[in-house]
Amino acid sequence: MNRFGIHYAYWGDQWEVDMCERVRLAADAGFDVLEVTPPAYMTNLEKDKMDQLKKCAQDHGIEMSFCIGFPRSKDMASSDLETRKAGIEHSKRMIEAVHYMGGKILSGILYSWWPYLYEKPLTIQDKLDCWKRGVESVQEVIPLAEDYGITYAIEMVNRFEQFVVNNVEEGKRFCQEIGSPNAKLLLDVFHANIEEDSIPDAIRSAGPLLAHIHISENNRRLPGTGKNIPWEEIAKALKEIDFQGRIVLEPFVAAGGPVGNDLRIWRNLDGDVSKEARHKNLKRSLKFVRELMG
Ligand code: MN
């Protein structure tokens, strides 16, 4: 039975939020999982706050999954040695925080930085160099993930947001080069819709390497609101590979604020983006995906 999750930032426009409130909202909407970007305090291991959040999640029967795009200052693929070292340390602290919180998966752009800014022209050689350094950096941190039994899932994102790992074919190769059973893949339907020939085929190709999935419509709206994404075929492909990971909704529907800006949401995608409307629409979307994939 697949577990269904929702990204914590869905309801608002801020990355910094009262996480326990989001736990309550996720539980109220009927989710099993809240996807959390480990906030700054987690990296500092401020245990009181972490304990509170852990208890809040337990009280509401919510599992937390963890996802993050590393900031530029912690780019594990950087040509600058100090930046790379900072990224490696950051990644280790994240793994420790996830372990402390009882989490089983850390996913995202855990090999470079996000959202990438194309400030100067890049070449294929830049990509190859970053790829190599990214693999080597992950190899330094993944033993810790192995020790804790935490899956380290590489998110493949579209070419406009990153350039190192864009599709499943590259993701598989990246994992192979890392060479750890804990190195797996996060496929995000929004990104795959841009990079793959066929999303269902990409899911089949990822097979047992697929640990985690993000779902939204092609424009980041809630699943079930659009007509471009082949949801039924995606559900079929997930069944075919006996996908046991978490299915996490990652919709973003409103312009503005740190969330809208980072996600490049430049117009409201829903008519009513009040918190109440978002919550109501979310319940409808969860019903849609549960009926299809549950
Ligand atoms: Mn994603």
Side-chain angles (χ1 to χ4, degrees):
M1 193 68 170
N2 287 117
R3 293 170 72 74
F4 291 89
I6 172 70
H7 194 280
Y8 83 92
Y10 164 69
W11 290 270
D13 64 0
Q14 299 292 318
W15 294 121
E16 301 292 326
V17 301
D18 172 0
M19 204 63 91
C20 192
E21 189 231 0
R22 298 298 160 91
V23 166
R24 285 193 296 272
L25 286 170
D28 180 75
F31 285 90
D32 315 296
V33 176
L34 181 70
E35 182 127 311
V36 169
T37 296
Y41 62 76
M42 282 190 165
T43 56
N44 299 331
L45 291 177
E46 286 181 23
K47 292 208 163 52
D48 282 357
K49 284 183 191 163
M50 290 168 69
D51 290 344
Q52 278 171 21
L53 178 56
K54 199 171 162 182
K55 182 169 185 312
C56 175
Q58 279 167 355
D59 288 349
H60 289 85
I62 289 287
E63 178 197 354
M64 283 183 289
S65 57
F66 298 82
C67 185
I68 189 170
F70 283 7
R72 184 178 208 164
S73 60
K74 311 231 175 357
D75 176 10
M76 287 167 77
S78 173
S79 58
D80 176 65
L81 183 60
E82 289 310 310
T83 304
R84 209 154 74 234
K85 277 186 185 164
I88 289 167
E89 274 316 298
H90 187 63
S91 184
K92 286 180 180 172
R93 297 292 83 76
M94 287 281 157
I95 292 169
E96 280 166 2
V98 170
H99 172 66
Y100 185 79
M101 300 298 280
K104 291 286 162 233
I105 183 163
L106 176 63
S107 67
I109 297 91
L110 312 169
Y111 49 90
S112 184
W113 66 285
W114 178 92
Y116 189 81
L117 288 179
Y118 289 96
E119 290 168 330
K120 60 179 176 68
L122 290 181
T123 65
I124 292 295
Q125 192 58 49
D126 291 321
K127 168 165 171 145
L128 296 176
D129 292 344
C130 286
W131 173 295
K132 185 168 177 289
R133 289 189 294 261
V135 167
E136 287 169 1
S137 296
V138 175
Q139 283 174 333
E140 288 198 38
V141 306
I142 206 134
L144 194 60
E146 290 173 6
D147 287 348
Y148 290 144
I150 290 169
T151 298
Y152 197 91
I154 301 296
E155 180 166 17
M156 301 154 286
V157 296
N158 78 74
R159 65 192 71 181
F160 304 108
E161 296 183 40
Q162 244 293 333
F163 61 96
V164 181
V165 184
N166 291 139
N167 68 359
V168 161
E169 187 271 324
E170 290 183 331
K172 283 163 70 175
R173 212 151 26 88
F174 200 79
C175 284
Q176 205 169 30
E177 290 185 26
I178 294 166
S180 160
N182 293 55
K184 298 225 158 128
L185 296 176
L186 157 55
L187 182 144
D188 182 318
V189 163
F190 167 76
H191 299 296
N193 178 60
I194 294 172
E195 297 295 341
E196 307 287 353
D197 292 329
S198 149
I199 302 172
D201 285 350
I203 288 169
R204 287 185 200 99
S205 169
L209 266 185
L210 188 63
H212 203 58
I213 181 162
H214 283 167
I215 60 173
S216 72
E217 292 291 347
N218 60 294
N219 54 6
R220 288 267 193 198
R221 290 187 72 212
L222 283 160
T225 57
K227 292 179 181 163
N228 281 336
I229 302 294
W231 292 115
E232 282 182 26
E233 286 173 52
I234 287 171
K236 209 172 127 219
L238 289 173
K239 207 158 276 163
E240 271 175 48
I241 66 163
D242 192 26
F243 179 70
Q244 296 295 324
R246 295 153 195 82
I247 298 171
V248 172
L249 277 65
E250 200 183 32
F252 296 103
V253 296
V259 172
N261 294 345
D262 279 351
L263 272 304
R264 317 301 196 226
I265 310 287
W266 305 121
R267 67 187 188 282
N268 288 344
L269 298 170
D270 284 353
D272 184 352
V273 294
S274 68
K275 202 172 182 178
E276 293 70 29
R278 288 193 214 193
H279 196 60
K280 198 175 123 217
N281 294 337
L282 180 62
K283 288 181 182 173
R284 191 183 312 130
S285 182
L286 177 59
K287 185 167 178 285
F288 170 78
V289 292
R290 268 201 200 278
E291 278 173 8
L292 218 57
M293 304 174 187

